[in-house]
Amino acid sequence: MPRWTALELWAERERTQLALWMPVAWGLGIALWFVLPDPRGWAALICVAGGVGLAAFTLSGGGRVTRGIGMAALLVGGGATLAWARAESVAAPVLARPVLATMTGAVEGVDRLAARGLMRLMLKPSEASDGRGRAIMLPPHVRVSLPIEDVPAGLGRGAIIRLRARLMPPAGPIARGGHDFARAAWFQGIGATGRGFAPVKVLRPLSRGEGLRQRLSSHISARIEGSAGGIAAALATGDVGGIGEADAEAMRRAGLAHLLSVSGLHITAVVGIVMVLTIRLLALWPWLALRVRLPLVGALAGAVAAIGYTALTGAEVPTIRSCVAAMLVLAALALGREAMTLRLVAAGASIVLLFRPEALMGASFQLSFAAITAIVALHEHPAMRRWFGPHPDWRWSAARQLGALLVTGLVVEAALMPIAIYHFHKAGLYGAFANIVAIPWTTFVAMPLEMLALLLDPVGLGAPFWWLLGHALGALLWLARQVAAMPGAVMALPVAPDGAFAVTILGGLWVALWRTRWRWLGVPGVAIGVTAMLAAPVPDLIVTGDGRHAAIRTGGGMALLRERAGDYVRNALFEIGGSDDAPLALVDQAEARCGADICLTRIVRDGRVWRVAATRSGYAVPWASLIALCDRVDIMIADRRLPEACRPRWLKLDALALRRSGGVTIQLSGPVAETARMPGDRHPWIVASEARGR
């Protein structure tokens, strides 16, 4: 019992921190629902968590530790239940197979991707036919991309259009670690995606013109040209379509891409500027200033600005989280309480997970809450207040503020790096230093200039501020390009193990959320997890789920089976493979012998020679030839169903096998094959894909 007493004493000292673990337990239940493969596992998790929770409360005897365990268990079960219910509630039909359709539909949403020359439309089809004129049923929501030059006048939200489009079911991850668009599309209600073709006929033009977001983006882009105008539009509306791909990549490599996603930085700047302007302007009226609490009025104006800004920018997860946090901060200020605390962060996370539990699995949610948790936990530490607090000498005070900014940048970069490695397979090395300049520049220079320009434009006085804003954002782009061009600015890494990522996150939360010395027990977990992520083995072979594309590591680097693979496939394969080099063609490699239809490659690993064969065209190959080839190779890859007699020495990856497994990543030192799809996976989007495959 002495040990249990020690735990109770520790829990008593940490009693103010226990509530912070509520969204963590809730999120753990949500994550486990996505990790476990089928309804039996989900039901077992909910029952076990509920049983543990009830038993803990029954046997607690008033102890804080036991009650905490019980509450955590119930929250885990509740999180799994919430995720399951959410996935079932958004169920919608999914396209059965690729189709070339002529359809009529209402435009539900429009996103202009000017830098890529595309217009992305969300459509609600009312009728459709295939290439032979036969009526077909399409899902209720379809996303189609159109070249901007093919977009007719009058096309916008609310319009009725008729067009021809090549539609595909939402695709799953190319391989393990790739982006799972099928899962994201399921929760967005998107049943098919594709590309439209001219001519596009507008049957009923939009009646009220473009929406406010589109008009504002167009207005800003007309005032500032190029990527600087795209960044200005992103700051105001969240529309990143006007930023050139090269400049967007430079922002990502420099660790500044978060500036393009409307989140806490932007909400804080808007609320702060509106509050200051409101209070200063109202203070000019002495009668009002003497009778009304102007800070309360300023807080109310800031709240209205935050809600309006969130709605204007599309209400994405980071923006919603930041808006919720802003509301709580303003409420705390109005009540005279401490404004920014970890309890506020926990409340914001709980609200987002309540309405969008699927957001937990996305990089946006994880990056947003990791950054704000790291910042608040760091500045709540007494050492930060002691070392970087106010000083009577303004010079020392300025130096302390600069030091605090540097330390904060380093801590945030360290907190975000594991998430970036896990989701994007890249780690930036200079992001903390670039952000020391970029964040204050954006917050105190660019955004106030943009607000002044927009406010003064109606009276014809905005031009000087647009000119200044263009130069300010040009300087930001220059910084991004310089940092991105530095040697070793980005380190490409292969896909990290799921377990290592989970250990890293839990270790980081343990350090951030506790206050006693026990918090440092999380450091070994972080160290072990990060080490395992950095030491993840580089794959020798990556095969996409359709069997059409493969990337093979050769002596010259990562080489593509089909050199005409699209940009998305090429980039995804190289990111998963942890390569940042220029793509190579397998046909040009010394280890490969390629014909028009088949490539045969030799790979030497650990003293063993592996022979890999893969089909590389859509033409039929005689079955006798395929069977003879299978007998001579270790791995056979095909985008079609291979004959039963085709039996390679180790692994057969044909259309039938890949339909069950999804994309496959292979390390020949072992050998080990990892699939994109869990065996027996019965998540709704997987069930939908299997149904269309039959």
Side-chain angles (χ1 to χ4, degrees), residues 78-230:
T81 304
L82 178 66
W84 193 352
R86 168 71 173 164
E88 295 296 339
S89 69
V90 298
V94 176
L95 187 67
R97 58 185 60 85
V99 63
L100 182 63
T102 300
M103 60 179 172
T104 301
V107 179
E108 297 181 309
V110 177
D111 283 321
R112 184 184 294 270
L113 308 178
R116 295 167 56 186
L118 294 174
M119 180 83 83
R120 184 177 290 165
L121 308 177
M122 186 69 74
L123 301 176
K124 184 176 182 180
S126 56
E127 61 180 44
S129 60
D130 62 11
R132 299 180 181 179
R134 297 174 299 188
I136 57 175
M137 291 294 295
L138 292 180
H141 302 286
V142 172
R143 197 177 75 180
V144 175
S145 295
L146 276 174
I148 286 181
E149 59 269 19
D150 294 340
V151 176
L155 191 152
R157 184 167 185 159
I160 305 294
I161 64 173
R162 185 172 182 82
L163 79 162
R164 193 166 58 98
R166 175 71 175 175
L167 299 177
M168 304 281 291
I174 281 183
R176 193 184 76 82
H179 177 62
D180 192 348
F181 179 69
R183 184 179 69 192
W186 179 265
F187 286 100
Q188 296 173 27
I190 299 174
T193 63
R195 189 175 183 90
F197 307 104
V200 179
K201 186 175 182 180
V202 179
L203 304 180
R204 189 187 74 189
L206 67 167
S207 57
R208 293 180 295 177
E210 292 183 320
L212 176 59
R213 186 185 185 194
Q214 287 74 29
R215 294 201 307 272
L216 188 56
S217 292
S218 300
H219 177 80
I220 294 171
S221 299
R223 297 297 186 274
I224 304 176
E225 296 180 351
S227 293

Side-chain angles (χ1 to χ4, degrees), residues 27-99:
L28 179 60
I30 294 171
L32 288 173
W33 183 85
F34 282 95
V35 170
L36 294 173
D38 55 37
R40 289 181 299 178
W42 309 334
L45 169 64
I46 294 169
C47 292
V48 169
V52 170
L54 293 176
F57 277 110
T58 302
L59 304 174
S60 67
R64 197 180 295 276
V65 173
T66 313
R67 283 187 287 120
I69 293 172
M71 179 60 71
L74 292 178
L75 286 169
V76 168
T81 304
L82 178 66
W84 193 352
R86 168 71 173 164
E88 295 296 339
S89 69
V90 298
V94 176
L95 187 67
R97 58 185 60 85
V99 63

Side-chain angles (χ1 to χ4, degrees), residues 19 70 110 150 215 270 332 343 345 395 402 468 657:
V110 177
D150 294 340
R215 294 201 307 272
V270 168
R343 285 177 176 267
V345 178
R395 290 168 295 186
L402 182 61
L468 290 172

Side-chain angles (χ1 to χ4, degrees), residues 396-438:
W396 277 104
S397 182
R400 287 188 172 199
Q401 291 178 10
L402 182 61
L405 187 61
L406 175 61
V407 171
T408 302
L410 292 172
V411 170
V412 170
E413 195 72 17
L416 299 184
M417 185 175 291
I419 302 173
I421 292 174
Y422 182 74
H423 287 283
F424 310 122
H425 323 303
K426 292 181 180 179
L429 303 180
Y430 310 123
F433 302 99
N435 277 288
I436 290 173
V437 177

Side-chain angles (χ1 to χ4, degrees), residues 512-526:
L513 301 187
W514 295 128
R515 285 293 169 265
T516 61
R517 293 180 180 178
W518 286 47
R519 69 190 303 176
W520 303 118
L521 293 176
V523 173
V526 174

Side-chain angles (χ1 to χ4, degrees), residues 267-268 271 299 302-303 306 320-332 344:
I267 293 285
T268 301
V271 170
I320 294 173
R321 187 268 303 165
S322 303
C323 183
V324 170
M327 297 298 102
L328 295 174
V329 168
L330 293 172
L344 181 148

Side-chain angles (χ1 to χ4, degrees), residues 490-570:
V490 173
M491 179 171 57
L493 297 165
V495 174
D498 297 337
F501 178 65
V503 169
T504 303
I505 295 300
L506 290 175
L509 288 170
W510 190 272
V511 173
L513 301 187
W514 295 128
R515 285 293 169 265
T516 61
R517 293 180 180 178
W518 286 47
R519 69 190 303 176
W520 303 118
L521 293 176
V523 173
V526 174
I528 292 171
V530 170
T531 301
M533 293 176 72
L534 296 176
V538 177
D540 295 302
L541 177 61
I542 306 170
V543 182
T544 61
D546 57 7
R548 288 178 51 82
H549 302 284
I552 301 175
R553 188 165 298 280
T554 65
M558 190 72 80
L560 295 174
L561 173 65
R562 303 190 188 201
E563 54 271 23
R564 296 183 62 184
D567 290 340
Y568 173 77
V569 172
R570 182 187 298 113

Side-chain angles (χ1 to χ4, degrees), residues 327-340:
M327 297 298 102
L328 295 174
V329 168
L330 293 172
L333 289 173
L335 296 172
R337 304 287 297 274
E338 186 177 356
M340 199 65 189

